[in-house]
Amino acid sequence: MILLLMPVCIVTLLYLPVTQQIGREWAIHQLSELSGLNIQASEVHLRWPLRIEASDVQIDSLLAVEHVDTHIRLRPLLKGQVIAHHLTLEGVTLHTDTLITSLRIHGDIRRLHLSNIHYAWREWHLTVDDIALAGCSMALTQQQGRGRPKDVKKTLPLTLHIGHTSLDESTINYKDAAREWPLTEIAMHIDSIRHSPTATSAVLTSLTFIEERGITLREGALTLLLTKDMVE
C-alpha cells in the first residue's frame, strides 16, 4: 500500500508552494549555468499537469518579459522531445547591446504567441506551427564595424521549420550613419520558414507599411532563399 501511495505523494509535493519555490530556484540556477547568462524570475508557478507561468523574467540585460505562459506535454519529455501546446510572452523588452557587432536592436513587443511547438533536442530540430507578434516597436541602429561576437565559435546544428508567421500593429525605425528610415503600421505574413546550417528560406506572402516620407506599400510578395555560401 505504501509503495502504491508513493507516486501520488511525490506528484502532490510537486504542486505545493514550498516545493515549487525550491524547484524554481534550482531550475533558474541550472538554466543560468547552462546558458552562461544571468536568468531571474520573481514568480514561477506549475499547474497540473505541466502548465508553467512565470512573471518578471530577466535574462541579463538582453531580454525582459512581464509574463510567460506555456503548456508542455509530459509523456514526450521521456522520449527526449519537448512538445508544447503554446508559448505566450507578454510585455517583452529586447536590447541586444553589443551581442551583435554590426547592429544594435532595442524594442518592445506587446505579445508574442507560438502555437504547437515540437523540439527534439537530440536532433536539434524545432518545429512551430504558428508565430504571431503584435504591437512591436523596434529601433535598429547600424554600428560601425562588422563581424560576429568573439564568443561565437561555431554555427549551431539547428534545423527549424515555422509554418506561418504574422506581424501586426508594429513599427520599425532603422538608422545608420547616413540616414534614418522609419516604417509604421507594419503588417506582414510569412509562410514556410525553413532554416538549416546550410540554408534559410521563407515565403513572404504579404507586406504592408507606411514610410514617413509618403511611400506606402499596400501589398507585396517575395520568396527568399539564403544559403551558407552567400553569407560567408
Side-chain angles (χ1 to χ4, degrees):
M1 179 63 71
I2 294 177
L3 292 176
L4 292 174
L5 290 175
M6 281 184 64
V8 177
C9 294
I10 293 172
V11 171
T12 302
L13 285 171
L14 289 175
Y15 295 91
L16 293 176
V18 175
T19 309
Q20 290 193 21
Q21 174 69 18
I22 296 172
R24 177 185 71 85
E25 295 175 357
W26 178 85
I28 290 175
H29 175 74
Q30 293 299 315
L31 289 172
S32 297
E33 288 289 321
L34 288 171
S35 64
L37 301 170
N38 181 23
I39 300 174
Q40 301 291 333
S42 64
E43 295 183 8
V44 178
H45 298 289
L46 176 64
R47 307 186 191 282
W48 176 265
L50 262 182
R51 181 164 185 172
I52 302 171
E53 295 184 69
S55 300
D56 300 326
V57 178
Q58 182 82 36
I59 303 177
D60 273 345
S61 59
L62 173 66
L63 186 69
V65 185
E66 293 178 2
H67 185 74
V68 180
D69 176 40
T70 186
H71 189 179
I72 301 172
R73 291 171 56 185
L74 180 59
R75 185 174 296 178
L77 290 175
L78 305 176
K79 301 178 182 179
Q81 300 177 357
V82 177
I83 298 179
H85 177 266
H86 71 271
L87 171 63
T88 303
L89 309 180
E90 295 178 332
V92 180
T93 299
L94 173 68
H95 193 352
T96 62
D97 196 21
T98 57
L99 182 66
I100 305 173
T101 305
S102 59
L103 184 68
R104 179 171 295 179
I105 303 173
H106 179 78
D108 300 302
I109 303 172
R110 186 175 72 241
R111 189 173 189 269
L112 168 61
H113 182 79
L114 291 76
S115 301
N116 296 326
I117 306 155
H118 184 177
Y119 177 52
W121 65 66
R122 295 191 181 97
E123 293 81 20
W124 285 79
H125 181 72
L126 174 63
T127 301
V128 182
D129 280 359
D130 184 83
I131 297 179
L133 299 96
C136 298
S137 178
M138 293 289 174
L140 285 64
T141 305
Q142 186 72 37
Q143 303 293 308
Q144 291 184 352
R146 299 183 63 182
R148 298 179 179 179
K150 296 181 180 179
D151 59 343
V152 176
K153 298 180 181 180
K154 62 179 181 179
T155 302
L156 294 176
L158 176 69
T159 58
L160 169 69
H161 179 216
I162 302 172
H164 179 75
T165 302
S166 63
L167 173 68
D168 293 295
E169 304 173 14
S170 299
T171 64
I172 295 177
N173 187 73
Y174 174 82
K175 183 179 181 181
D176 59 20
R179 63 189 182 281
E180 186 171 352
W181 193 33
L183 303 177
T184 60
E185 298 185 28
I186 301 172
M188 179 171 61
H189 295 269
I190 305 174
D191 286 337
S192 192
I193 298 175
R194 296 180 182 272
H195 170 78
S196 72
T198 58
T200 300
S201 64
V203 179
L204 176 64
T205 56
S206 68
L207 171 64
T208 63
F209 63 81
I210 296 176
E211 197 266 343
E212 189 180 58
R213 287 168 293 187
I215 301 173
T216 301
L217 179 64
R218 293 297 182 188
E219 192 75 19
L222 177 68
T223 299
L224 172 68
L225 174 62
L226 181 65
T227 65
K228 183 179 180 183
D229 294 335
M230 296 170 64
V231 296
E232 289 186 341

